[in-house]
Amino acid sequence: MQEFDPRRTSLRIAPQVLAGAAALAALAAVWQFSDLGPKAPPPPPPLTAAQVAALQHAAFTQAEAQPGFARPQTVPVKVRAGETLAGAVARTGVAPEEAQQVIQALNQVMDTTQVKAGLTFEAAIAEPRAERGPARLIGLSLRTGPATAITVSRSFDGALRLRELEEKMRDEVRVAEGEVHGSLYESAARLGATPAVTAKVVKLFAHKLDFERDLKAGDDFRLVFDRVVTESGRTVETGDLRYAEIKGHKFYRFERGNGEVEYLDGSGKNIRGFLLRTPVDGARITSRFGLRRHPVLGYNRAHQGIDFGAGTGTPVIAAGDGVVLEARRWGGYGNWLRIRHSGGWDTGYAHLSRYAKGVRAGSRVRQGQVVAYVGSTGMSTGAHLHYEVWLKGRRVNPVGAKVPQGTVLAGAELKRFKAQKARIDGLFGAGGEERAYAMADKASSNH
């Protein structure tokens, strides 16, 4: 058996592949020097680092079968609670001593004793042709970071080869276009958006859309955001959300001269709105404003707000900027929160399980800030949020209330915004590099 050397990064290639490559090279040489045929095409470009990494990562799955064993099959493995990495490898059917050999190889580059439950890896396992005896481990691939992985593969002479793979990372502007299938989070994730990006989108559209009722399967959406990505296309982290579009509503990110970030519509108008339509992310309306039969008292009574169905502990966000007027127990409302906004507007939140840290009478809050959590305190038959809107001391229907709109840019800021908007719109033009990259990735995600 050859000596194990973890510093070597050679990639084993099947003899058939080498033979085929030699034949193609010979054919190309004959064609090039023949006067009867056209000139030889230019040589193909060298493999990128991402392509090389992909080849190395897949090397063990493409290896020739070991004598007496069938071709290897890839087996995904997750380390269980209380299990060692060697135990997880042995669970694939290989002999304990063979599992230990793999661990010894991995010890060269990582501490295998500190592996936590939930770690996943892929093992290429070959079953014996006689269907007796332990399986043979052909290779193992373990991702150690967003852009790094370790691969152990068995060469034709039976020796184990260790490779440390590292992809380069780059900053890019990501254009993601797709349709909603399942949740918006799932749909956006298929196009490279992280939950953090989608959470920004949900908060941004909260005053325009009720995601429970307004968003349907097949609805188109577009997102433009910054991200750090590996050469193979894996998102490492995301940055600013530059643009979002759902059901015809378009929001552009713009940083004003004072450093404040706003999201504007195509005309330069602040689209944030004065109050959000839904103070609970993704909740459904279970009871509307107006006369109804009270679920506890049993008789008709004016319902002076709307109820959102949500589980206990679901975050409640402030519908707008303001100052906490009340955060106290209030009769049948249970734990009650009232926020005073400008222009004579108040919002109220009832049946809360608890308040967010730092939220008390007199504290200032921002739109979208978590201020409390859903509960079932007071006169309530189950967990939900009772939400009210007040105008100059009188309750109004939160759904139909005509709340003030945002400000509009003018002058130099409007000119700068229009230039920035044109750059974003240009990303969606035919032939745009960012658009082509996004659409190609979208197509591959469907297979």
Side-chain angles (χ1 to χ4, degrees), residues 276-277 289 304-306 387-389 396-401 403:
L276 302 178
R277 286 186 60 184
F289 187 91
Q304 302 187 82
I306 56 177
Y387 174 60
E388 297 185 352
V389 175
V396 296
N397 189 343
V399 174
V403 298

